[in-house]
Amino acid sequence: MTSNQEQKVSIIIPYYNSMEFVGDCLNSVLFQSYSNLEIIIINDGSDQENTLYIEQSVTDERIVYIKNEAKHGVAFSRNQGLKKATGEYVFFLDSDDLLTENAIEILAENIQDHPAIIGQRKRLLRPTDMEMPIEPPELNVEEKSSRTLFKGGSILNVLIKSDFIHEHNIQFYEETQGYTDMSGIIQFILYVEKLPTLNIRTYYKRVRNDPISNPSLVQRSIEERTKDFVRIYLDMVKAYGGAEGAKQFLDHLFLHFYRRQVISIFTDEKHFDEFFTLLATAVNVMDPSLISSQPSHIRKELTHLRSGNKEKFKKGLQFHIEARDFKNAIKGFTRLKRYIYKKFFLKRPMKDNYIIFESFLGKNYSDSPRNIYEYIIENNLDYQCIWVFNDKNRKIPGNAKVVKRFSLAYYYYFAVSKYWINNMRQPLHLVKRQGNVFLETWHGTPLKKLVFDMRDVYSANPRYKRDFYMQSRAWDYLLSPNSYSSEIFRSAFKFDKEMLEYGYPRNDILYAPDKEERASRVKEAIGIPKGKKVVLYAPTWRDDDFYEPGKYKFQLQLDLHKMKEKLGEDYVVALRMHYFIADDINVEGLDGFAFNLSKYDDIAELYLISDILITDYSSVFFDYANMKRPILFFTYDLEKYRDQLRGFYLDFENDVPGPLLRTSDAVIDAIANIESLKKDYAERYDTFYERFCSWHDGKSTEKVVKKLLFGENPKPKQ
Ligand code: C2G
């Protein structure tokens, strides 16, 4: 596309501790089809690491870099940018956002004699959001009223003529951290009735996924945001409220904020008085005639705020919450169940001897929760146990009550059971009551980086970090299998309560005196021919390969037919996919050789029956090593998995207790020569065992139960 690029565009980018994103942001600017740019980056007191990063990124001569020693806020930074800007146009971009390739070009081409022009913006949650429609729409420019265009309260994605900025002395309000865009857009409301907009996407607004460690401005607490909002609203009204259009616009922004946020503002009783007073001040400034146009419950609340009647306001708000919850509840059975849970079950008395168990999201009867449960029934401890399964007809030993996940019974038992035992995360809508004791067993020694140690990569669920943080606040005890995991759990989960360092209950069976008999029973039940050795293949899942969140793909890279041909005389293969894998493994034509045990309840029993483990980056090898049997690593995608998807805590090549193999042939070879491999890796294996397995002695379950139910403090084996 040819275009006249004589006029310079100053792009103003405030930067504060966002090194994870700024690379994408800068690339999107540096490779704009419109190149006559001045890129002003204001580093607003970022920490050392983030400062170093941005300073190393300032390589293009079009970049003007400004550094503030302390943090002054985004408004101050934008004002600094405005002072420096020498272009005919100005454009505000946030350092975690991106432009489309020809954004500036199409905006500049179509602005004509208007003071500004706006493009389309899209929320950026995951990479697929950046895919363009196969047939992009034909460019179209439409004029819209500035009040409509700016009703979201954002100055981003607007190309503005510098003349307009100077003529109206546009400045951002520096007294608050948030909502300062309001001060930048008010001049448009005052002086410009209509502005052109493009129907083409020009801007990606990133939805950040770590509001805990690194919140964006809109992810700060509701208290902070409300204070900011009311303050800037009041000051803007003071400064511009004389002009009718501006006042109306500000009032609408306030009402919009109020309606979206009021319930959250008052969820915490202890701030009630403070926020009542604050909002009452704002409502008294707002045009009273706007109140009458609101729905009746909002109208009542606003009236009580205006007259300062706290009690009536409180009642009104309560009604508002009840009405919202009820309206929500009747939208479907799922919501209705949650409503009944909240309104009724949570009010039932708690039963001190009820324990509710769940393993791998109700998929099976397994892992540490199972061992803890079996200890309780074998020792006749006087507890009513409840197990959660997806299949309500699941039969398990003992007389536990079985409930279907997310059924009414499930909610009832979660509400009244004192003890919760889970090996994964619990749904966020389950409320932990006073008196509840939550034992989180977790499900593996970490190799792949977890939660807060993960780079801010896109994941299947962009709310992952925030959700995880909220969920892990409810855990009272977290089990740890080794000191390495304890340290990681503290940082990756930000877990700050009691860590039970007793090893994993799930591994007790690997030390049980009757493990041989048990193995024979399991082999027989599965139908493994007598005299055959068993190779267990248990790989993990891949973050980037899914049908939908929670349902992952897996393509088997092991050549089973070749394995059968070369090893079939002595061996059989047990295939065990991760519980996230939705694909079914095809074992057609491999009867008697390959056994698909992906649905088998407990992998620990498969460890017992196997002679060799093949895995990749799954935590299964940390557990399997307790048996000191050989482990092969089939790591055909190591670089991608480690360097792009997850990152590892270990020096994988040097620390793991077996060879890394890339092809089926190499795996077959290794199995054929397993005795010599054992010798080659013996020393490394011992070191590995010492580091990751040595807390295990077959008594982990007992120690955990004594701690959890009897308040004893058994000595860990260290
Ligand atoms: N698992 C299994 N079969 C597999 C893979 C895993 O039964 N083919 C079980 C094992 O008990 C394993 C656990 O699921 O220890 C966790 O699996 P990982 O492959 O390690 O992956 P993930 O679920 O992402 O958990 O701290 C550990 C991490 O959270 C990893």
Side-chain angles (χ1 to χ4, degrees):
M1 202 190 273
T2 53
S3 72
N4 170 5
Q5 300 204 357
E6 272 161 31
Q7 297 187 306
K8 187 160 57 179
V9 178
S10 301
I11 302 203
I12 298 179
I13 312 176
Y15 171 82
Y16 174 71
N17 288 354
S18 48
M19 60 187 258
E20 284 157 293
F21 315 111
V22 76
D24 289 348
C25 169
L26 280 181
N27 279 338
S28 81
V29 177
L30 294 172
F31 297 106
Q32 279 294 302
S33 57
Y34 195 102
S35 58
N36 189 2
L37 303 174
E38 170 184 62
I39 305 155
I40 307 175
I41 303 174
I42 310 96
N43 174 5
D44 191 30
S46 296
D47 64 23
Q48 227 177 0
E49 198 189 359
N50 278 276
T51 296
L52 195 69
Y53 186 91
I54 192 69
E55 290 181 352
Q56 282 171 353
S57 315
V58 179
T59 47
D60 193 288
E61 57 190 16
R62 293 171 296 173
I63 299 181
V64 178
Y65 174 68
I66 305 172
K67 181 180 173 193
N68 298 336
E69 288 311 323
K71 184 181 178 197
H72 294 289
V74 67
F76 180 85
S77 302
R78 284 182 180 158
N79 287 340
Q80 277 178 303
L82 281 175
K83 272 187 218 138
K84 275 269 177 217
T86 60
E88 279 79 15
Y89 297 106
V90 165
F91 185 95
F92 295 100
L93 171 66
D94 280 353
S95 60
D96 45 2
D97 297 343
L98 282 82
L99 295 178
T100 57
E101 203 182 329
N102 61 353
I104 300 297
E105 178 177 2
I106 53 175
L107 289 166
E109 259 181 3
N110 291 287
I111 191 167
Q112 296 180 358
D113 50 4
H114 296 281
I117 181 167
I118 304 185
Q120 293 297 318
R121 74 150 91 173
K122 188 163 164 64
R123 277 155 53 95
L124 179 59
L125 292 161
R126 41 181 83 101
T128 47
D129 292 335
M130 294 189 27
E131 283 165 13
M132 283 293 190
I134 298 175
E135 276 187 51
E138 204 138 302
L139 179 83
N140 178 35
V141 188
E142 193 186 342
E143 287 188 20
K144 290 191 182 156
S145 92
S146 350
R147 291 180 57 165
T148 312
L149 289 171
F150 286 110
K151 71 176 192 298
S154 169
I155 190 78
L156 298 172
N157 197 19
V158 191
L159 185 73
I160 311 168
K161 286 201 175 132
S162 298
D163 286 349
F164 182 80
I165 292 189
H166 296 138
E167 193 181 326
H168 297 290
N169 189 24
I170 290 187
Q171 284 279 307
F172 291 90
Y173 178 82
E174 295 180 4
E175 304 304 315
T176 59
Q177 291 287 322
Y179 304 106
T180 58
D181 287 28
M182 233 194 261
S183 51
I185 57 188
I186 194 76
Q187 306 293 335
F188 289 98
I189 305 302
L190 284 167
Y191 300 108
V192 189
E193 201 178 319
K194 286 190 163 196
L195 280 177
T197 68
L198 300 184
N199 62 333
I200 302 275
R201 191 187 297 174
T202 47
Y203 197 101
Y204 290 108
K205 179 92 206 110
R206 190 187 297 268
V207 181
R208 296 256 289 261
N209 69 9
D210 189 358
I212 307 301
S213 317
N214 190 5
S216 68
L217 278 178
V218 290
Q219 289 170 333
R220 291 173 315 142
S221 75
I222 181 70
E223 286 84 11
E224 285 173 288
R225 287 186 290 120
T226 307
K227 284 184 201 164
D228 273 4
F229 194 94
V230 172
R231 174 148 189 210
I232 189 168
Y233 166 73
L234 293 174
D235 274 3
M236 289 292 108
V237 169
K238 220 182 267 164
Y240 304 103
E244 198 191 325
K247 175 69 171 34
Q248 254 182 21
F249 179 75
L250 292 167
D251 285 355
H252 274 115
L253 285 184
F254 172 74
L255 266 177
H256 182 70
F257 178 83
Y258 177 88
R259 291 189 57 171
R260 285 186 52 164
Q261 310 285 357
V262 62
I263 289 180
S264 350
I265 299 170
F266 288 104
T267 39
D268 193 346
E269 253 309 291
K270 75 174 187 285
H271 300 306
F272 186 88
D273 285 351
E274 183 190 356
F275 284 102
F276 182 85
T277 313
L278 197 67
L279 289 174
T281 317
V283 173
N284 272 298
V285 167
M286 196 181 82
D287 176 1
S289 71
L290 279 176
I291 297 181
S292 57
S293 64
Q294 295 300 306
S296 79
H297 60 289
I298 301 280
R299 199 163 63 221
K300 281 189 190 134
E301 279 167 33
L302 293 170
T303 312
H304 300 320
L305 273 167
R306 233 179 115 73
S307 60
N309 192 332
K310 268 189 208 166
E311 286 318 305
K312 282 199 169 156
F313 173 78
K314 226 181 224 175
K315 273 202 193 122
L317 187 69
Q318 194 56 37
F319 178 77
H320 183 169
I321 294 170
E322 299 276 344
R324 179 202 60 173
D325 289 352
F326 184 72
K327 230 169 94 187
N328 200 8
I330 55 176
K331 282 189 187 147
F333 191 41
T334 306
R335 293 172 192 225
L336 185 63
K337 283 186 282 192
R338 291 193 199 176
Y339 180 77
I340 295 170
Y341 165 66
K342 263 184 144 163
K343 298 280 167 198
F344 304 102
F345 294 165
L346 284 175
K347 299 195 172 123
R348 307 284 302 158
M350 186 181 287
K351 314 256 193 195
D352 284 347
N353 65 336
Y354 279 28
I355 311 177
I356 188 160
F357 296 84
E358 186 181 299
S359 176
F360 294 123
L361 311 168
K363 290 196 174 129
N364 47 37
Y365 173 60
S366 65
D367 213 57
S368 295
R370 167 184 174 167
N371 298 82
I372 295 171
Y373 168 69
E374 290 187 351
Y375 182 92
I376 291 173
I377 54 175
E378 277 157 22
N379 289 280
N380 294 317
L381 303 183
D382 190 15
Y383 287 90
Q384 171 63 56
C385 297
I386 299 107
W387 263 91
V388 175
F389 290 114
N390 295 326
D391 170 9
K392 71 172 190 299
N393 298 317
R394 246 339 281 254
K395 296 273 175 288
I396 58 168
N399 53 3
K401 177 138 196 78
V402 168
V403 296
K404 186 173 157 58
R405 199 156 187 255
F406 301 134
S407 64
L408 259 185
Y410 163 94
Y411 285 112
Y412 173 75
Y413 285 107
F414 258 109
V416 301
S417 300
K418 170 168 173 174
Y419 296 99
W420 296 2
I421 300 182
N422 197 342
N423 74 343
M424 289 188 64
R425 292 182 288 148
Q426 76 283 12
L428 268 175
H429 62 269
L430 287 181
V431 178
K432 190 178 170 209
R433 298 168 70 178
Q434 196 155 22
N436 266 144
V437 179
F438 192 152
L439 171 69
E440 171 61 42
T441 69
W442 200 240
H443 51 270
T445 294
L447 163 68
K448 336 169 217 182
K449 293 233 164 138
L450 291 170
V451 206
F452 290 105
D453 291 339
M454 273 162 82
R455 258 182 350 114
D456 212 320
V457 288
Y458 300 95
S459 65
N461 176 0
R463 286 181 300 277
Y464 176 59
K465 288 188 181 178
R466 189 204 61 175
D467 290 356
F468 203 109
Y469 184 78
M470 288 165 61
Q471 285 155 330
S472 55
R473 293 318 89 188
W475 304 348
D476 296 298
Y477 301 110
L478 175 61
L479 297 191
S480 169
N482 39 50
S483 62
Y484 157 92
S485 296
S486 299
E487 199 180 311
I488 291 172
F489 292 161
R490 293 255 180 244
S491 82
F493 297 167
K494 298 188 189 286
F495 180 75
D496 52 9
K497 297 207 200 123
E498 194 172 354
M499 192 88 71
L500 303 188
E501 300 189 307
Y502 297 133
Y504 272 157
R506 71 179 184 183
N507 289 336
D508 280 354
I509 96 165
L510 310 178
Y511 291 86
D514 66 343
K515 66 178 185 189
E516 299 303 334
E517 294 94 84
R518 192 157 178 175
S520 311
R521 281 201 306 274
V522 173
K523 270 189 182 170
E524 202 177 315
I526 296 172
I528 291 183
K530 281 211 166 65
K532 288 280 169 83
K533 290 190 190 147
V534 179
V535 179
L536 170 64
Y537 178 43
T540 196
W541 54 292
R542 270 101 186 122
D543 301 56
D544 63 338
D545 209 6
F546 53 86
Y547 296 105
E548 58 183 82
K551 288 205 166 126
Y552 289 80
K553 299 182 190 172
F554 189 80
Q555 279 147 9
L556 191 68
Q557 309 272 337
L558 265 189
D559 186 340
L560 294 176
H561 290 274
K562 202 163 190 186
M563 282 182 91
K564 183 177 177 192
E565 186 195 320
K566 305 267 180 193
L567 306 165
E569 221 157 275
D570 299 323
Y571 287 96
V572 297
V573 175
L575 299 162
R576 165 66 172 203
M577 295 307 117
H578 188 273
Y579 49 90
F580 280 167
I581 301 300
D583 286 326
D584 212 9
I585 298 297
N586 184 2
V587 288
E588 249 178 57
L590 293 160
D591 277 359
F593 177 71
F595 295 80
N596 184 3
L597 300 172
S598 301
K599 297 223 157 65
Y600 194 83
D601 259 328
D602 201 343
I603 193 170
E605 290 180 348
L606 305 181
Y607 299 157
L608 276 188
I609 64 162
S610 62
D611 299 276
I612 301 174
L613 169 73
I614 308 172
T615 185
D616 44 19
Y617 328 106
S618 174
S619 61
V620 298
F621 67 85
F622 291 104
D623 302 292
Y624 196 81
N626 279 284
M627 299 195 302
K628 301 198 172 160
R629 294 180 195 165
I631 306 177
L632 309 175
F633 294 83
F634 186 33
T635 48
Y636 49 87
D637 56 354
L638 174 65
E639 285 72 21
K640 179 175 181 209
Y641 196 96
R642 178 186 55 198
D643 307 333
Q644 291 172 30
L645 292 181
R646 276 293 186 111
F648 287 163
Y649 289 109
L650 282 185
D651 175 358
F652 197 69
E653 276 107 331
N654 292 308
D655 290 347
V656 297
L660 307 194
L661 309 165
R662 302 227 164 221
T663 59
S664 271
D665 285 340
V667 171
I668 293 169
D669 237 33
I671 297 174
N673 296 301
I674 201 70
E675 289 309 320
S676 75
L677 264 179
K678 270 203 230 168
K679 284 195 202 101
D680 294 348
Y681 282 89
E683 210 178 304
R684 235 212 244 184
Y685 211 128
D686 287 345
T687 317
F688 185 88
Y689 183 95
E690 210 29 58
R691 188 168 172 205
F692 299 105
C693 308
S694 59
W695 286 2
H696 293 93
D697 57 2
K699 297 204 162 38
S700 304
T701 313
E702 180 181 331
K703 292 178 209 167
V704 170
V705 171
K706 286 187 168 163
K707 171 77 192 178
L708 179 75
L709 300 180
F710 309 142
E712 293 175 22
N713 280 306
K715 246 173 96 72
K717 175 174 183 277
Q718 308 265 351

